[in-house]
Amino acid sequence: MNAVTTLTVEDGVAVVTIDSPPVNALSAPVREGLKAAFAQAEGDDAVRAIVLACAGRTFIAGADIREFDSELVGPHLHDVQAVIEASTKPTVAAIHGTALGGGLEVALCCHFRVAVPSARVGLPEVALGLLPGAGGTQRLPRLAGVPAALDMMVGGRPIRADKACELGIIDKIVPEGELLAEAVSYARKAADAGTKLVRVRDRSEGLAQDTGPEVFAEFRKKHARAFHGFKAPANIVKAVEAAVALPFDEGFKREGELFEELVHSNESKAQRYQFFAERETAKIPDIPKDMPHIPVKSVGVIGAGTMGGGIAMNFLNIGLPVTIVEAKQEVLDRGVATIRKNYQITVDKGRMTAEQLDERMGLLKPSLAMDDLAQVDLIIEAVFEKLELKQEIFGKLDGIARPDAILASNTSFLDVDAIAAATQRPETVVGMHFFSPANVMKLLEVVRGEKSSDSVVATAMAVGRRIGKVAVLSRVCDGFIANRMMAPRMEAAQALILEGPMPSQVDKAMVAYGFPMGPFAMLDLVGLDVIGWDAATSSSSTVTEVLCEMGRWGQKKSGGFYDYDEKRRPSPSPVADQVVRDFQAKSGKQHREFSEREIVERLLFPVVNEGAKLLDEGIAIRASDVDVALVYGYGWPVFTGGPLFWADIVGLDRVIAGLEAAGHEPAPLLERIAADGRKLHQYQVA
Ligand code: TC6
């Protein structure tokens, strides 16, 4: 048919095969090929039934996301689907791998769907800020019912073949390895039996119940918090309402309008950018893609505190044995007990079996002796953040670890090169900076030291992906990418409360922007005392210092910037607010009202500025890595794309003017990019 689509006919059954690596996305050539193949099969009297299958690792993974930003070339997907759906001969989609987005929507235009047990189907467009705009919002509820369809489309998570079969999305599960033969036989039988062919658009079994307004009202209420800032979920719900209320063609038209709203929105552009940015992080320009990795089959963790325990869990989760080393028995016991407790919580929630818990704990070897790390492949140090201590440990490790073992430090800001210098093999040393809780947070910063070897860096990045993290590469600097980027937000917040806004107002603006919490609530959570406060040297010169002196260390003391009740619910604190007012009075600054937008810009423009500085220094490889790090490390709202993408949306001239007005010096790179009319988020270090 064309280079990516073939049509073969055997014994009366046509097989249309898409072969467009890596994921058979519906690019223009695929759409052209599909349309032509189905038209030809329909017109061929020798063909009695048609099977749609895919070569390679998966069924169609959806529309080609890169095409959303350009003019349409080739036939529209809707026209392709119309040809498939108009078939007068039985049509069967043969699904393996994942049928996602437009892929599932194409399959829903066939009369039948068969799949292997390992297949998964889903409509994940919501993660791209979109809705299933190829009829998914109209066809899926007709089969699966409104509640299941809403869950699938708003949650975006693909479901397994057996579940899809239960929901009526898949008609038959067939054995692995026999998909094509089974699909052909299914199609032939339908043709032989003269099975009545009903298009999904004409079916209604899913609409028989649970379609009243209360279903939608309840769904909106239940997910209100998760919807905050996102446009797609609300539009998906509206489209499904249309599926219930209107005839197919009208509902389909409504879906199209709601899709158009989304595809041109900044939110969706930001989420599409993040999709590719996340995948880009794996690419390191000066390290070949095929650089051999060092085999990592066992892991050592030094330190059984919160970080060490969380780090260990990542490896236990993927079945790797972990030796965890502590200096004192009681600390070790406590650390191991915490790991067990965390797994038990997962078991109690029904997300893990008791056997799995035992298996994972069985892989954990607690030890008081560093010598027990002599044979492991990767050692991650997670002790107190003190350079001398870490150097001492690395010095000892040098004499214990195998020469080819990777020695990683989980330091969050110390100089990895200085740590590496404590060994005779700095090329094996790398930073692996996890974010707390380390078993949950998706970001892993891999810190490339001056002497880290390419294979050690490539392996650390790959290990990160193996344990389900998004690994972002950073060079050595104070705070690496994410912590360094966010430090100016905290400084700006502390400075701003001297000019009028109270901490709760500042936090409110950050939450409205999309952060899970504002900087003052975060300080209270972490503990004001742990952010470098020292009773011995405290000089009552900042709000934070005074609050610490008053014993208001945050949530753990039932009070910090906020007061907390026994359930740790915050309320503005008259005491803390008075401290702020006293400082405002003393500050000599002019006080005024600040709008939410002004607060946001005051706090976040310095973050953008820091991003430009660290790119100029070559700390990150590319701007998009920085954005990914902030989204996964700090809950930066994904629908803004991250600080640097957002800066381009706001306009770099506005960012520069805002920085200057607040007394900051704009980073030279920021000014250069703005002057050239380039985009900051597209910047790559040469
Ligand atoms: C839609 O369908 C809307 C329809 C309405 C129309 C009106 N397009 O993730 P991986 C690339 S919206 C273009 O590393 P995995 C990816 O960038 C779409 N490219 O592999 C990467 O390229 P690189 C709804 C795509 O095995 C390579 O393929 N569908 C697309 O870990 C490998 O990807 C989705 O949202 C695409 N659709 O996971 C599904 N998909 O090698 C999005 C992938 O140059 N895709 N690429 O870096 C996925 O979730 C996953 O890719 C996966 C495979 C589960 C299919």
Side-chain angles (χ1 to χ4, degrees), residues 22-23 25-26 57-58 61-66 68 76-78 98 100-103 105 120 124-125 128 130-134 259 275-276 279-280 283 289:
V23 294
L26 292 159
R57 60 177 165 164
T58 182
D64 188 330
I65 302 165
R66 289 182 204 273
F68 288 130
H76 195 290
L77 181 57
H78 292 174
T98 41
L100 299 177
E105 291 173 296
R120 288 181 308 144
E125 288 88 339
L128 302 166
L130 297 171
L131 58 73
F259 179 85
F275 175 85
F276 290 111
R279 282 156 181 81
E280 201 67 12
K283 297 169 193 159
K289 218 175 143 193

Side-chain angles (χ1 to χ4, degrees), residues 140-157:
L140 189 66
R142 284 176 157 77
L143 292 185
V146 167
L150 282 175
D151 277 343
M152 274 179 76
M153 292 189 278
V154 172
R157 208 167 299 151

Side-chain angles (χ1 to χ4, degrees), residues 13 18 33 105 150 160 163 231 253 257 263 294 307 316 335 350 446 458 468 545 555 589 597-598 659 662 665 668:
V13 178
I18 301 172
E105 291 173 296
L150 282 175
R160 288 156 38 130
K163 174 85 180 153
K231 282 205 160 80
K253 188 162 162 271
E257 292 158 2
V263 76
I294 300 160
M307 276 320 269
L316 299 174
V446 172
E545 271 192 340
Q555 285 196 17
K589 301 224 177 203
R597 179 170 186 180
E598 275 181 293
L659 284 167
E665 199 177 319

